[in-house]
């Protein structure tokens, strides 16, 4: 017999089904609540609300577990490639050797971006933020591929759109970097892989390919994999809800990029480095900043700390911290903010305020230090998060469509004025 939950309203009791996920998670199905009782549930920030059933990512915030399609993030980060993880997320299973080879070559074949897209760059002020440029350019792809606007695309057509976006995103990101420097773009190379192509377009020159240390390429691989999906977070929920109106993939991902930009979400990686720089310029002591973070009258928060779901170490942060030590040591980079970050982490982990609220370092705490060691400026950090998150957004958009989910449309509890009489200010 399946579990039920009962709710009693005005003397009437309603039995609500209790659903159990494959990892044992429980959910009370309230989808018929309003029809049967006239009541809705209220849950600002959706802290307790499951918006969908999903088979892509599982995370247990209490235990610090993250798995994609049943594979642990630790295994994937250590042993797989970014495109393998992308395929796994989007299509549900790891690819065979042949399928992976085709997936790679299809994506490589779509890395060139239409030259007319360059015209957009001329219109951006030279100091415009890379995330604004990225969302604009990804949205603009729909203008170049109008077939993507058809919400009834065949599976084959939808796959083409997916491959197109996976191929073009690194190129677009590299154009944004080049624009920030005023340098000419570097085109993708046929004989390069996904990550070395991306890094070459970022750091190479038109007639001089750049050769990267394996440690650099591996750090980039790990970072992209660690960001690849994280179930129903703010940007992913945005992608799903925009897509639920049958908006095309480019428009949906562009919306997700904007949601990611905020400093409470993906924008935290830029904010962390800026915070660490502030601490350094202020003499390096962390106590003042801890006190500010705890002061309820001060809007300052410890960036890179805390998470809606993790009430234990973010497993991604553990992997990133080690990768950070490794890559800095291999590259011989001595970044003073790394020591400040470690001191701040220790101080926060031993502070009662952070202990009581179960606030731990999240994925953004150390990632910026690696990006900086690789040569990126801080405004590019969230764009790199978006590049990593792209397969997850695509997978979630596709799952929502495959499951024919209804248009996303939350309700509200109206608390405004009731029945006011309009008195005209002047005669019409
Ligand atoms: N510094 C100081 N206090 C904090 C912090 C922090 N970073 N995070 C949470 N708190 C406090 C908060 O003030 C509240 O205290 P109280 O119970 O006394 O009112 C309590 O902890 C619970 O916080 P909340 O804001 O209700 O929690 P939330 O789930 O709504 O917010 C969060 C989650 C990630 C937005 C928040 O922890 C935060 O602002 N962190 C800093 C920004 C950050 O690093 N974001 C990256 C998130 S991970 C990457 C991603 O996927 O986006």
């Amino acid at each position: 017999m399946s579990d039920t939950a009962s709710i009693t309203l005005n003397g009437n009791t309603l039995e609500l089904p209790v659903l159990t996920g494959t990892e044992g998670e429980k959910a009370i199905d309230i989808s018929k609540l309003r029809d049967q009782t006239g009541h809705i549930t209220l849950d600002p920030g959706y802290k307790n609300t499951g918006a969908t059933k999903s088979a892509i990512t599982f995370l247990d915030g209490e235990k610090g577990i993250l798995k994609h399609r049943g594979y642990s993030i630790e295994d994937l980060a250590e042993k797989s490639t970014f495109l393998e993880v992308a395929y796994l997320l989007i299509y549900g299973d790891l690819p065979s050797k042949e399928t992976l080879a085709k997936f790679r070559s299809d994506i490589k074949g779509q890395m060139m971006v239409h030259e007319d897209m360059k015209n957009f760059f001329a219109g951006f002020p030279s100091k415009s933020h890379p995330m604004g440029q990225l969302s604009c350019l990804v949205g603009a792809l729909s203008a170049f591929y109008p077939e993507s606007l058809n919400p009834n695309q065949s599976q084959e057509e939808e796959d083409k759109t997916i491959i197109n976006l996976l191929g073009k995103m690194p190129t677009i990101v590299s154009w944004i970097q080049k624009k920030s420097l005023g340098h000419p773009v570097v085109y993708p190379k046929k004989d390069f892989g996904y990550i070395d192509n991306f890094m070459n377009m970022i750091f190479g020159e038109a007639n001089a390919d750049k050769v990267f240390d394996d440690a650099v390429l591996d750090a980039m691989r790990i970072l992209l994999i660690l960001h690849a999906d994280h179930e129903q977070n703010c940007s992913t929920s945005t992608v799903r809800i925009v897509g639920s109106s049958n908006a095309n993939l480019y428009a949906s991902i562009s919306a997700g990029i904007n949601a990611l930009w905020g400093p409470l979400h993906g924008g935290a990686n830029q904010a962390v480095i800026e915070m660490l720089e502030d601490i350094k310029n202020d003499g390096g002591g962390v106590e003042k900043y801890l006190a500010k973070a705890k002061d309820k009258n001060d809007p300052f928060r410890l960036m890179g700390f805390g998470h809606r779901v993790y009430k234990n170490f973010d497993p991604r942060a553990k992997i990133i911290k080690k990768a950070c030590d490794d890559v800095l040591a291999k590259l011989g980079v001595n970044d003073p903010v790394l020591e400040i970050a470690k001191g701040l982490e220790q101080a926060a982990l031993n502070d009662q305020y952070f202990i009581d609220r179960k606030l731990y370092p999240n994925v953004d705490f150390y990632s910026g230090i690696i990006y900086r060691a690789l040569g990126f400026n801080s405004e590019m950090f969230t764009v790199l998060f978006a590049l990593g998150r792209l397969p997850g957004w695509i997978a979630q958009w596709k799952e929502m469509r495959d499951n024919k989910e209804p248009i996303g449309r939350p309700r509200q509890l109206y608390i405004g004025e009731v029945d006011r009489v309009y008195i005209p200010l002047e005669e019409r």
Side-chain angles (χ1 to χ4, degrees):
M1 202 183 76
S2 57
D3 289 344
T4 57
S6 48
I7 181 165
T8 303
L9 289 162
N10 306 323
N12 295 322
T13 299
L14 177 72
E15 298 294 327
L16 299 166
V18 172
L19 312 178
T20 306
T22 49
E23 289 270 5
E25 286 190 306
K26 300 277 184 191
I28 301 170
D29 179 353
I30 54 131
S31 53
K32 304 231 161 26
L33 185 69
R34 188 170 179 281
D35 283 350
Q36 296 183 356
T37 69
H39 290 60
I40 60 163
T41 54
L42 188 62
D43 184 21
Y46 312 120
K47 293 194 176 194
N48 298 286
T49 298
T52 189
K53 290 180 198 164
S54 179
I56 301 171
T57 290
F58 170 74
L59 75 89
D60 181 329
E62 274 71 33
K63 297 195 184 129
I65 293 173
L66 173 62
K67 298 187 212 175
H68 296 314
R69 304 279 192 190
Y71 296 97
S72 79
I73 191 63
E74 289 79 7
D75 263 3
L76 294 173
E78 189 190 334
K79 300 170 192 161
S80 67
T81 64
F82 178 59
L83 288 189
E84 240 182 315
V85 174
Y87 187 94
L88 172 72
L89 289 167
I90 296 168
Y91 296 108
D93 292 301
L94 284 170
S96 65
K97 261 192 170 169
E98 297 70 37
T99 309
L100 181 60
K102 179 168 181 338
F103 188 58
R104 279 196 179 123
S105 105
D106 287 351
I107 289 173
K108 203 181 289 183
Q110 293 304 324
M111 287 183 89
M112 286 294 249
V113 171
H114 199 294
E115 285 291 294
D116 286 354
M117 288 272 287
K118 278 195 191 154
N119 296 334
F120 288 96
F121 282 96
F124 289 123
S126 59
K127 297 281 171 235
S128 51
H129 195 283
M131 284 296 277
Q133 295 182 43
L134 184 66
S135 71
C136 177
L137 289 158
V138 168
L141 284 173
S142 61
F144 291 84
Y145 302 95
E147 62 279 8
S148 68
L149 271 55
N150 173 11
N152 302 314
Q153 277 188 321
S154 66
Q155 191 56 59
E156 201 187 328
E157 288 163 337
E158 186 184 286
D159 285 344
K160 270 191 188 164
T161 305
I162 289 172
I163 297 286
N164 199 32
L165 184 51
L166 284 167
K168 291 187 173 29
M169 181 94 152
T171 312
I172 289 174
V173 170
S174 74
W175 284 11
I176 293 171
Q177 161 91 359
K178 292 297 189 195
K179 158 92 184 173
S180 75
L181 300 170
H183 292 177
V185 303
V186 174
Y187 289 99
K189 298 275 155 55
K190 282 253 180 298
D191 46 346
F192 282 27
Y194 195 76
I195 293 181
D196 47 349
N197 231 331
F198 170 63
M199 294 295 274
N200 187 53
M201 289 190 290
I202 290 271
F203 295 113
E205 287 166 27
N207 295 319
D209 293 339
K210 192 153 167 84
V211 179
F212 295 94
D213 192 306
D214 283 348
V216 168
L217 298 178
D218 203 46
M220 202 62 217
R221 176 192 68 83
I222 292 174
L223 284 164
L224 291 177
I225 290 175
L226 291 181
H227 287 89
D229 191 52
H230 213 229
E231 53 119 302
Q232 309 310 317
N233 54 78
C234 175
S235 57
T236 301
S237 300
T238 301
V239 169
R240 284 185 88 122
I241 208 163
V242 172
S244 77
S245 73
N246 278 350
N248 66 78
L249 182 65
Y250 303 117
S252 306
I253 302 291
S254 169
I257 291 167
N258 282 321
L260 186 74
W261 191 356
L264 296 186
H265 191 10
N269 55 15
Q270 178 183 341
V272 169
I273 274 287
E274 288 167 358
M275 173 186 77
L276 294 172
E277 279 293 332
D278 285 348
I279 298 176
K280 189 182 91 186
N281 296 335
D282 205 6
V286 298
E287 290 308 325
K288 174 178 160 191
Y289 288 84
L290 273 191
K292 274 165 74 64
K294 294 189 285 184
D295 179 355
K296 294 290 171 200
N297 296 316
D298 189 327
F300 176 80
R301 282 192 162 200
L302 207 57
M303 299 314 287
F305 254 77
H307 197 275
R308 168 61 60 78
V309 184
Y310 290 123
K311 302 300 166 198
N312 195 328
F313 254 95
D314 179 338
R316 302 167 302 171
K318 277 191 195 166
I319 301 170
I320 285 189
K321 187 176 178 186
K322 183 171 176 314
C324 186
D325 279 335
D326 289 353
V327 73
L328 264 63
K330 276 188 198 144
L331 299 180
V333 173
N334 184 11
D335 191 337
V337 304
L338 179 60
E339 284 317 306
I340 294 175
K342 286 184 175 169
L344 187 58
E345 178 186 347
Q346 271 321 305
L349 291 177
N350 290 312
D351 187 294
Q352 206 53 46
Y353 173 97
F354 290 86
I355 294 169
D356 289 348
R357 289 166 182 75
K358 299 192 170 80
L359 302 171
Y360 291 87
N362 58 49
V363 68
D364 293 319
F365 195 66
Y366 285 101
S367 60
I369 300 176
I370 310 185
Y371 292 139
R372 186 150 92 159
L374 300 186
F376 291 97
N377 69 51
S378 62
E379 288 208 330
M380 286 296 288
F381 294 177
T382 315
V383 169
L384 298 170
F385 189 150
L387 182 63
R389 182 55 53 88
L390 181 63
W393 285 332
I394 294 174
Q396 301 271 352
W397 178 89
K398 178 171 160 51
E399 181 180 65
M400 179 269 310
R401 280 169 61 93
D402 290 349
N403 291 348
K404 302 197 172 12
E405 291 184 12
I407 186 166
R409 204 303 185 185
R411 292 204 174 245
Q412 63 165 18
L413 190 67
Y414 177 69
I415 54 163
E417 299 284 349
V418 180
D419 294 340
R420 294 209 272 188
V421 176
Y422 176 73
I423 300 168
L425 279 180
E426 52 194 31
E427 296 222 347
R428 280 163 60 87

